[in-house]
Structure formats: structure tokens, C-alpha cells
Amino acid sequence: MRSRKHAQTSASPVPVALLLIDVLTTFQFPDGDAILHGALKIRDALVKLKARARQLRIPVLYVNDNFGDWRSEKEVLIGRCLEAKGGQFVRPLLPDSEDYFVLKPMHSAFYMTPLEVLLQHLQVETLILTGLTSNSCLTATAHDANMRGFDIYIPLDCSCARDSTEHTQALAQLEAMAGANVRPSRSLKLPTLIRAAQSSQRDAN
């Protein structure tokens, strides 16, 4: 894709991106308490993974539900989440000025959003998918990413569902049907992912 001359965002220095899906939430929905319980267990792993990505200049993209509010802005959304019962999960994961932020209307991060255009502009080949929940929005995003030819990695300790059984089943399905590489975040060798994506990028060119 040819970049426009007036584009303010340059290509990423590495062809890998970390997606945090729906981590900004109020948990005020059916099964919200159960999902919050699981989310608190993965919070520290998410924080550490984001910090590792930042050190290696991997772009971090927040893709978040707009809760049906088309007039909402990021700051308003964050404020609502911090005031709700899930504030203890959200607070350590707040986006900063170096992160990208995309609002989505449905489950998939790709559906009716500029995500695909942004990833093309950043020249990303590999996606690391994290967030809420593994058997819903992360699953929809992974299948859409697979159809678009992205290599997909899913750290199993950086997403959750209503319970561990649902989570395990969802990841097994994504591994089998969406070509996802599922492993603990501590065994995700980010420099190796970067080199592999760069090699694939060179081969494609």
C-alpha cells in the first residue's frame, strides 16, 4: 500500500504488532464478574508483555469496543472504565501517547475499523493477540487476521474467558483452525519473532 505524503504515522521499525483487545472495559455486562476474575489473573502478564514490546519498538495497538456510543472519545471511555469495578484491571494497562487506539463496533478488531489499513501502513506481518475474551472477540479477530495472511501468536496467559475450560477450548480451536501459535508469554521470544517477520518481508519483496 502506498503511503500518502501527508501521513503522520511512519512504518513500524519492526514488522510485528501487539494488539490489546477490549482491555478498556467496565465489566458491566452479563458474566462481567467472572471475566473480571480471570482478567485480574492475566493483568501482570499483559503489563510485562507490553513493556517488553515497547523495549523492542514493537507497536502496541489498543482495539476496543465502543459500547455502542458513536460519540464517545478515548478519554471518556477511559474515565468510565477507571470509575467502574474493573478499574484495578484497567489502570495498569492504560494506553499512552506512543500507543495506537482503534474503536470497533463488533467482535472482530477488523470489522468496520481502520485496523487493516493501519497495519498495512505500519508494514506489519505478525500479530500478537491478547485481551478479552479468548472465546469471543479474540477468536473473531484471530480468524479475520488469518484470512488476511497475518502470522498469529496468542500468549495463553494474556487472555481469558469466563472460566479456564472455555479459555483452554478457545485456544485449542484457534491453534487448530486459525493457525495460531499458542504459548505462554514468557516463552514468546520477541526478537526471534521480529527476525522471522523481517525475513518473510524480505522474501516477499
Side-chain angles (χ1 to χ4, degrees):
M1 177 180 176
R2 182 176 299 172
S3 301
R4 295 182 183 273
K5 291 182 179 180
H6 61 265
Q8 296 181 358
T9 302
S10 59
S12 167
V14 296
V16 179
L18 171 63
L19 268 63
L20 279 71
I21 300 169
D22 287 337
V23 298
L24 305 179
T25 180
T26 62
F27 295 94
Q28 293 174 344
F29 46 77
D31 301 314
D33 288 339
I35 294 172
L36 174 58
H37 180 72
L40 289 173
K41 292 181 178 180
I42 67 170
R43 179 189 61 192
D44 292 347
L46 273 170
V47 171
K48 291 176 182 177
L49 182 60
K50 180 182 175 181
R52 290 170 55 200
R54 177 62 55 78
Q55 289 178 344
L56 294 170
R57 303 178 70 192
I58 292 173
V60 178
L61 286 66
Y62 286 73
V63 187
N64 221 88
D65 195 278
N66 68 358
F67 304 121
D69 185 359
W70 292 97
R71 295 187 178 93
S72 180
E73 295 181 353
K74 179 175 66 173
E75 290 74 16
V76 175
L77 173 64
I78 289 174
R80 289 168 59 189
C81 294
L82 290 175
E83 293 172 358
K85 59 185 175 182
Q88 56 185 324
F89 171 75
V90 172
R91 189 166 287 105
L93 291 166
L94 292 177
D96 58 40
S97 59
E98 294 186 40
D99 299 324
Y100 298 90
F101 189 84
V102 175
L103 283 174
K104 65 182 179 68
M106 296 294 288
H107 300 81
S108 173
F110 288 92
Y111 180 75
M112 300 296 287
T113 78
L115 178 61
E116 186 171 6
V117 175
L118 174 58
L119 292 172
Q120 289 175 343
H121 182 71
L122 294 174
Q123 299 180 13
V124 165
E125 303 278 342
T126 299
L127 298 179
I128 304 169
L129 302 183
T130 68
L132 309 177
T133 59
S134 51
N135 63 337
S136 180
C137 295
L138 195 143
T139 287
T141 300
H143 282 293
D144 277 357
N146 181 48
M147 286 189 291
R148 288 162 173 78
F150 291 99
D151 291 325
I152 305 165
Y153 287 80
I154 303 178
L156 59 87
D157 55 337
C158 290
S159 63
C160 69
R162 290 179 298 184
D163 56 53
S164 58
T165 299
E166 280 189 349
H167 180 57
T168 301
Q169 290 174 343
L171 295 186
Q173 183 74 0
L174 289 173
E175 197 168 28
M177 303 303 295
N181 186 308
V182 177
R183 63 179 68 185
S185 60
R186 64 181 178 276
S187 68
L188 197 61
K189 308 300 183 185
L190 298 183
T192 302
L193 262 64
I194 291 171
R195 288 193 294 270
Q198 288 172 334
S199 177
S200 175
Q201 203 172 53
R202 286 193 297 269
D203 292 344
N205 293 332

